[in-house]
């Protein structure tokens, strides 16, 4: 059930777990899984890890700091959803997993250094497309964005077997989920 | 992209990773995440781990062995999708995670002991509802079923923040996905 009351005690353990989840899931998989997509213009697990890295570098903490410094007066820098295709080029998946874990750890340390209080979660910033947003919404989105992409990895991988499962496909909603 | 050619080399690493993924994801999470559901009659991450345990005990390997022994002549025992509500009662999540890891390890050892060949994947059994199925479809479903439930965990958790993310909800398809 949706619970609107966002707290850091609730959010941080999820953010802390994500690099471990990705490593446990992907580190020993054959390349066919790592590079699997849902078709042209869709992302593989490898691409998703690169996207999460780019988020650590340019999205969550940089936007938090912009919001703290400028409030609604300065909109966030637009996020490049395709940056990973250049930035990850030539890097192994283990290297990307390490980079993500290091960046996430550093960003959580930075987040904690601000000693945010519940009242801070109402502070406002400006999203370039969505308009006014709160600091609490930004942090909740960081968490939900991780989960969104973990769900995407499950779906991309599961769909490799949409044919192979035969009649069982009707019991496996993920395999026929919309993208 | 769906690839119909099922191989054990492809499938086993995914089956081997799942217990590690669940542990990395869930072991340090506050109870609110572990017990979160999508509303009445829906499952929490805790329930899902119990369901995966029941699958290890009664579904995948027992059905494989029934198929090898009896082919299509004897249908599989119907799977109890609600067994975990009794079986998990009173057990801590770490205990369930350990049980699942042990059962999965033992089942993979058993699977490998059969030294199945590609030709075996065409052998047929009988599902109590779906009718004739092949051994390859059964094994592919084992993998896809893991992924289906990992995707479900991401969705159940993500939806706790459907309100909290505010206007960002439109960028997070998992939060508004159908069940």
């Amino acid at each position: 059930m949706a619970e609107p009351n966002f707290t850091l005690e609730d959010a941080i353990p999820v953010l802390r777990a994500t690099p471990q989840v990705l490593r446990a899931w992907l580190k020993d998989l054959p390349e066919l899984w790592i590079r699997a997509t849902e078709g042209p213009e869709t992302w593989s697990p490898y691409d998703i890890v690169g996207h999460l890295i780019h988020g650590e570098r340019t999205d969550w903490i940089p936007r938090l700091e912009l919001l703290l410094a400028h409030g609604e007066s300065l909109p966030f820098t637009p996020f490049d959803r395709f940056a990973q295709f250049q930035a990850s080029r030539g890097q192994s998946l283990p290297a990307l997993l390490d980079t993500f874990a290091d960046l996430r750890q550093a960003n959580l340390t930075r987040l904690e250094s601000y000693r945010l209080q519940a009242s801070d979660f109402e502070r406002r910033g400006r999203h370039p497309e969505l308009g006014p947003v709160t600091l609490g919404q930004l942090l909740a989105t960081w968490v939900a964005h991780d989960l969104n992409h973990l769900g995407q990895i499950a779906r991309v991988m599961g769909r490799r077997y949409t044919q192979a499962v035969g009649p069982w496909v009707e019991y496996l909603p993920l395999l026929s989920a919309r993208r």
Side-chain angles (χ1 to χ4, degrees), chain A:
Chain A
M1 306 285 272
E3 291 166 42
N5 293 323
F6 174 84
T7 68
L8 286 177
E9 294 66 35
D10 194 76
I12 287 175
V14 182
L15 293 169
R16 204 179 290 290
T18 304
Q20 305 169 31
V21 174
L22 290 169
R23 194 173 271 144
W25 205 342
L26 304 178
K27 73 177 171 8
D28 294 325
L29 291 188
E31 195 73 6
L32 281 172
W33 290 109
I34 301 303
R35 296 293 188 163
T37 68
E38 295 172 278
E41 313 286 310
T42 67
W43 294 0
S44 68
Y46 179 92
D47 298 329
I48 292 166
V49 176
H51 169 74
L52 290 168
I53 287 172
H54 193 65
E56 294 305 303
R57 289 204 167 113
T58 71
D59 193 334
W60 315 108
I61 290 290
R63 286 181 170 189
L64 173 70
E65 293 177 346
L66 194 96
L67 185 155
L68 290 173
H70 300 284
E72 288 186 79
S73 66
L74 197 62
F76 303 149
T77 306
F79 182 73
D80 181 353
R81 292 181 61 254
F82 302 97
Q84 68 271 15
F85 295 108
Q86 283 301 326
S88 299
R89 204 177 293 279
Q91 295 200 59
S92 70
L93 180 73
L96 294 183
L97 291 169
D98 288 346
T99 299
F100 177 62
D102 291 347
L103 289 167
R104 173 59 57 93
Q105 176 60 47
N107 280 335
L108 289 175
T109 301
R110 211 139 136 192
L111 173 64
E112 290 172 321
S113 76
Y114 288 113
R115 302 181 180 279
L116 298 170
Q117 305 300 315
S119 57
D120 292 315
F121 299 154
E122 300 306 317
R123 294 175 68 169
R124 282 166 167 248
R126 182 172 299 278
H127 187 282
E129 292 174 0
L130 300 172
V133 291
T134 68
L135 190 157
Q137 289 167 349
L138 174 65
L139 294 176
T141 301
W142 192 6
V143 174
H145 180 266
D146 275 14
L147 296 167
N148 190 72
H149 286 294
L150 292 175
Q152 184 184 15
I153 288 173
R155 196 185 67 217
V156 172
M157 289 178 62
R159 285 186 167 178
R160 284 193 65 221
Y161 280 0
T162 300
Q163 307 291 320
V165 300
W168 266 290
V169 71
E170 74 174 81
Y171 295 169
L172 298 165
L174 189 77
L175 273 54
S176 42
R178 65 163 196 219
R179 269 181 217 148

